[in-house]
Amino acid sequence: MSLKNENTKYAFKIFRFDPDLDKAPRYDTFVKDCARGTTVLEALLSIQEIEDDSLAFRFSCRSAVCGSCGMLVNGAPVLACRTQLSNLIGDQVLIEPLPNMDVIKDLVVDMKPFWNAYRKVEPWLHADEEKEPKKERHQSPEQVHKLDPYINCILCASCYGSCPVLGMEEDYLGPAAIAKLFRFMEDSRDQRGETFLEKVDSPQGLWACHTIFRCIDACPKDLRPTDTIEALRRRLIKYRFKKFFRLVK
Ligand code: FES
């Protein structure tokens, strides 16, 4: 239970940078009284409305669904819309953009590398088009439950921003894309087969992960991308053996 009063004075130290105007990033500090229950996103909206309308950040749903408001708060990747100030330690709130992507302005990052990696895993159902069914492709409840943990990804890029490997290897696919590939390869309706794993059998694909588990800590939906990377690695090794012994083409 929080011991903070109904209203607490917070100092928000916010990363500011406009590459078109600024030579270097800076931090601006705004001090505000916030009521209990105020989220980081609400505080940012209030700062933008009252103190500085040039402050840039992304949001949309305000309910942890759209994944737009990923950012670093006190050094940890979070969704601003579901992070209450009263759950943070202390009254100093450091707000920065997600790492591993270029800053477009303030807290808005260029997510092109994230989406490019995502596209590479072809994140859609590869059904057998020649056998187009006359009705829906049914799945049993068990087959659906198997996918449940991976369907919840909202593509907020918190895992991508927190992955230390991406800081060294910018062409790495990243945890979200690989978790999405796993989600489709586990889907009983997907027909892409293990040969598809060859597309991610590279130093920038499945083998880039150093198994540091930051993506698991970062995920606001409690997904475990590292586990999917490990599972696909095991599957890929089996596939390589089968291929070596000519058990598959
Ligand atoms: Fe949609 Fe935060 S605004 S997830």
Side-chain angles (χ1 to χ4, degrees), residues 77-79 82 149 152-160 162 175-176 179 213-226:
V78 298
L79 295 178
R82 81 160 204 185
N152 289 338
C153 173
I154 56 171
L155 300 170
C156 63
S158 292
C159 60
Y160 192 91
S162 68
F213 299 106
R214 288 267 184 84
C215 52
I216 292 178
D217 294 339
C219 181
K221 295 291 179 179
D222 297 328
L223 307 192
R224 299 182 58 85
T226 318

Side-chain angles (χ1 to χ4, degrees), residues 41 58-69 79-81 154:
L41 178 61
R58 284 197 183 104
F59 75 100
S60 179
C61 71
R62 303 192 194 194
S63 49
V65 173
C66 72
S68 321
C69 67
L79 295 178
C81 69
I154 56 171

